[in-house]
Amino acid sequence: MPHLGVQLLVQDRHVVMDNGLLQVTLSNPDGIVTGIRFSGIDNLLEVLNDESNRGYWDLVWNAAGSTGTTGIFDVIRGTSFEVIVETEEQVEVSFTRTWDSSQEGKLVPLNIDKRFVMLRGSSGFYSYAIYEHLKEWPGFNLGETRIAFKLRKDKFHYMVAADNRQRFMPLPDDRVPPRGQPLAYPEAVKLVKPVEPDFKGEVDDKYQYSIENKDNKVHGWICMDPAVGFWQITPSDEFRSGGPVKQNLTSHVGPTTLAMFLSAHYSGEDLVPKIGAGEAWKKVFGPVFMYFNSVMDGDDPLSLWEDAKSQMLIEVQSWPYEFPASEDYQKSDQRGNVSGRLIVRDRFVSDDYIPANGAYVGLALPGDVGSWQRECKDYQFWNRADEDGYFSINNVRTGDYNLYAWVPGVIGDYRYDVSVTVTSGCDIEMGDLVYQPPRDGPTLWEIGIPDRSAEEFYVPDPNPNYTNKLYVNHPDRFRQYGLWERYAELYPDGDLVYTVGVSDYRKDWFYAQVTRKKDDNTYQRTTWQIKFNLDEVDQNGTYKLRVALASATFSELQVRINDPKAKPLFSSGLIGRDNSIARHGIHGLYWLYGMDVPGARLVEGDNAVFLTQPRSASPFQGIMYDYIRMEGPPPPSSSSPETSV
């Protein structure tokens, strides 16, 4: 029989929360989840692991001035335990670790308060944490923070990350030699002698299961016998960095389930918060929900996923939660709302204003145009505009923001120039906002779709020796391992040549401009060529070439016109560390360049743009293009008078 309410048992070395549906045991005062008893299973977590390696908050940090994304790995152990709330309806407990100068260089200079919450009648538990840096403390870099759960490998074999991304998974034993053969980097392993023969020959790599923040709301594992689900539900993105299309890890072989709050994956050091000495900083991560479900004998275990999605929607609709006891977590009545309409003005597309259909509209720290994608210290709030461009961003924490937006199908970034101050209970109506995307003249030709992804371009079939069966005949075919090696096989004698009006970017434009592997295992630069014909040329006019990149990794974009050996018309310099080629990402951070092309550089008839990526020390240095457009010279301004809304 279920208890009437939530019960809390405090012992010397453990704290137990029990609501009759499940029992959660935490180490005292560490605040590490050591046990989850549910539906007849004494512990869903890996009992073969040490208690400290089952369910925990962790972070990666480095001293101020450090570079890169790696650092000191720290499983956060509390030093003090406190009961915050103890009623029949709710138990909330706190495990804190406070910092002082005696720990300088040994522990990250943060006060950390980890909270765990159990509610009456709830088939799960919540966790959130408050990180605080006092301004008199030394600075530091925070490369990553998350919650990790290590599940029982004898129970949980079926993983679900999305409706079309679910499968039986290998065992962790299969990744270790001689069962597994490491590939180009440690995370990717070929299964050569797996325990389950069906997996033989496949590649396993946790990055194949990454998901964009906007879609990363529920994932987890199913135990088939007894039929039990373990789900990680993240109801809001407000505490995640990098905006709605930033990708993060989900679940992977272990069996492991992650709640990612902060990471540099698919972005690099740009998304590592650098908290300076003299800078006060505080942030609430979470709450997130760990949800558990079961079905009756004979029912389909896969129905647990459908139930988990339903529960996710309930959690999303309940956000912001009313139960967290910390005053640092703002409740609904403390927050504000911002709404308006975004329209696009591009006179070379339409004389009328164009509704920003499906635009991503968000509030983030004040900064430059597009700065939101690298902002990683504070909160962000995003929503999609409807087909008429109307948007509403609700339950925004109080503070000063810029309003940012970008529109699928339109290049560039919008920023409202005046900062927006959100106060408790406010309803700010922004009215009609007009985005005028970069544009000098009419489109002469274009390649791709301006959507910040290379997904529309040609993604090859994987080498049959390196497949993940999940992604065969799958819309996310770019998640396969080793696709970068296919370029030299497709273009053995020369680089890609694309002819405007003849070629089809869906078939003839490789998804990434990668280096070419040579027979001696070195790599060489590549130069792609775009051929195009001009019936007439304004020798005194200025043409415009716009190049939008979906990803860049230790690479450089050089652009030349009609002479591949000339001094570059444009060079980006060394850019990018998002590693999306190796991580099967199809996009990382967005870059947009516009370059003037003097009419005297062009000729009537056949012309060519040469795109060179000269950095060539590894197979993972390269560029993914989003969209390329050549514009003619601007017509006389008198012919297209601007009008106001």
Short mmCIF file of all heavy atoms in Angstrom, two decimals, residues 126 133 160 168 233 294 375 403 418 454 456 461 486 526 596 628:
data_model
loop_
_atom_site.label_atom_id
_atom_site.label_comp_id
_atom_site.label_asym_id
_atom_site.label_seq_id
_atom_site.Cartn_x
_atom_site.Cartn_y
_atom_site.Cartn_z
N TYR A 126 12.81 15.15 -8.42
CA TYR A 126 13.38 16.31 -9.09
C TYR A 126 14.74 16.63 -8.49
O TYR A 126 15.01 16.34 -7.32
CB TYR A 126 12.47 17.53 -8.92
CG TYR A 126 11.10 17.38 -9.52
CD1 TYR A 126 10.06 16.79 -8.80
CD2 TYR A 126 10.82 17.84 -10.81
CE1 TYR A 126 8.79 16.65 -9.34
CE2 TYR A 126 9.55 17.71 -11.37
CZ TYR A 126 8.54 17.11 -10.62
OH TYR A 126 7.29 16.97 -11.16
N HIS A 133 29.23 32.23 -7.28
CA HIS A 133 30.62 32.69 -7.21
C HIS A 133 30.61 34.10 -6.64
O HIS A 133 29.96 35.00 -7.20
CB HIS A 133 31.25 32.69 -8.61
CG HIS A 133 32.65 33.23 -8.66
ND1 HIS A 133 32.93 34.54 -9.02
CD2 HIS A 133 33.84 32.65 -8.38
CE1 HIS A 133 34.24 34.73 -8.98
NE2 HIS A 133 34.82 33.61 -8.60
N VAL A 160 15.97 5.02 -25.70
CA VAL A 160 15.10 5.86 -26.52
C VAL A 160 15.52 7.31 -26.37
O VAL A 160 15.59 7.85 -25.26
CB VAL A 160 13.62 5.73 -26.11
CG1 VAL A 160 12.73 6.47 -27.10
CG2 VAL A 160 13.19 4.27 -26.00
N PHE A 168 17.85 -1.37 -29.30
CA PHE A 168 18.62 -2.16 -28.35
C PHE A 168 20.08 -1.74 -28.47
O PHE A 168 20.59 -1.55 -29.58
CB PHE A 168 18.47 -3.66 -28.63
CG PHE A 168 17.15 -4.21 -28.17
CD1 PHE A 168 16.13 -4.45 -29.08
CD2 PHE A 168 16.93 -4.50 -26.83
CE1 PHE A 168 14.91 -4.95 -28.66
CE2 PHE A 168 15.71 -5.00 -26.41
CZ PHE A 168 14.70 -5.23 -27.32
N ILE A 233 13.71 13.93 -17.81
CA ILE A 233 12.84 14.94 -18.42
C ILE A 233 13.36 16.33 -18.06
O ILE A 233 13.55 16.65 -16.88
CB ILE A 233 11.38 14.76 -17.94
CG1 ILE A 233 10.81 13.44 -18.46
CG2 ILE A 233 10.52 15.94 -18.40
CD1 ILE A 233 9.40 13.12 -17.98
N SER A 294 6.07 1.85 -15.35
CA SER A 294 6.03 0.40 -15.54
C SER A 294 4.72 0.05 -16.21
O SER A 294 3.78 0.84 -16.23
CB SER A 294 6.17 -0.34 -14.20
OG SER A 294 5.12 0.02 -13.32
N GLU A 375 26.58 32.96 -25.86
CA GLU A 375 26.32 33.39 -24.49
C GLU A 375 26.13 32.15 -23.61
O GLU A 375 25.34 31.27 -23.94
CB GLU A 375 25.06 34.26 -24.45
CG GLU A 375 24.86 35.02 -23.16
CD GLU A 375 24.38 34.14 -22.03
OE1 GLU A 375 23.35 33.46 -22.19
OE2 GLU A 375 25.05 34.12 -20.98
N LEU A 403 16.42 41.34 -27.26
CA LEU A 403 15.58 40.41 -28.01
C LEU A 403 16.29 40.09 -29.31
O LEU A 403 16.67 40.98 -30.07
CB LEU A 403 14.20 41.02 -28.27
CG LEU A 403 13.21 40.07 -28.95
CD1 LEU A 403 11.81 40.26 -28.38
CD2 LEU A 403 13.17 40.28 -30.46
N VAL A 418 17.15 48.21 -28.51
CA VAL A 418 16.93 48.69 -27.14
C VAL A 418 16.78 47.50 -26.21
O VAL A 418 16.06 46.55 -26.52
CB VAL A 418 15.67 49.59 -27.08
CG1 VAL A 418 15.45 50.11 -25.66
CG2 VAL A 418 15.78 50.73 -28.07
N ALA A 454 23.78 22.01 -42.63
CA ALA A 454 24.20 21.45 -43.92
C ALA A 454 23.37 20.24 -44.31
O ALA A 454 23.74 19.50 -45.23
CB ALA A 454 25.68 21.08 -43.86
N GLU A 456 20.70 19.77 -45.92
CA GLU A 456 20.11 19.66 -47.26
C GLU A 456 21.11 19.23 -48.32
O GLU A 456 20.72 18.89 -49.43
CB GLU A 456 19.47 20.99 -47.67
CG GLU A 456 20.44 22.12 -47.96
CD GLU A 456 20.73 22.99 -46.73
OE1 GLU A 456 20.64 22.47 -45.59
OE2 GLU A 456 21.06 24.17 -46.91
N ASP A 461 26.33 7.63 -48.18
CA ASP A 461 26.16 6.41 -47.39
C ASP A 461 27.45 6.13 -46.64
O ASP A 461 28.54 6.45 -47.11
CB ASP A 461 25.86 5.21 -48.31
CG ASP A 461 24.48 5.29 -48.94
OD1 ASP A 461 23.58 5.87 -48.31
OD2 ASP A 461 24.31 4.80 -50.07
N ARG A 486 34.56 9.65 -46.96
CA ARG A 486 33.93 9.35 -48.25
C ARG A 486 34.27 10.41 -49.30
O ARG A 486 34.15 10.16 -50.50
CB ARG A 486 32.41 9.25 -48.10
CG ARG A 486 31.92 8.30 -47.02
CD ARG A 486 32.32 6.86 -47.27
NE ARG A 486 31.39 6.18 -48.17
CZ ARG A 486 31.53 4.94 -48.59
NH1 ARG A 486 32.58 4.24 -48.22
NH2 ARG A 486 30.65 4.40 -49.39
N THR A 526 41.78 21.49 -49.62
CA THR A 526 40.85 21.29 -50.73
C THR A 526 40.35 22.65 -51.22
O THR A 526 40.21 23.59 -50.44
CB THR A 526 39.65 20.41 -50.32
OG1 THR A 526 39.04 20.96 -49.14
CG2 THR A 526 40.10 18.99 -50.03
N ASP A 596 32.64 42.04 -50.92
CA ASP A 596 32.43 42.80 -52.15
C ASP A 596 33.26 42.18 -53.28
O ASP A 596 34.43 41.85 -53.10
CB ASP A 596 32.87 44.25 -51.95
CG ASP A 596 31.93 45.02 -51.04
OD1 ASP A 596 30.77 44.58 -50.88
OD2 ASP A 596 32.36 46.05 -50.48
N ILE A 628 25.04 29.87 -49.80
CA ILE A 628 25.91 30.79 -50.55
C ILE A 628 25.05 31.54 -51.56
O ILE A 628 24.20 30.93 -52.23
CB ILE A 628 27.03 30.02 -51.28
CG1 ILE A 628 27.86 29.20 -50.28
CG2 ILE A 628 27.92 30.98 -52.07
CD1 ILE A 628 28.90 28.30 -50.93
#
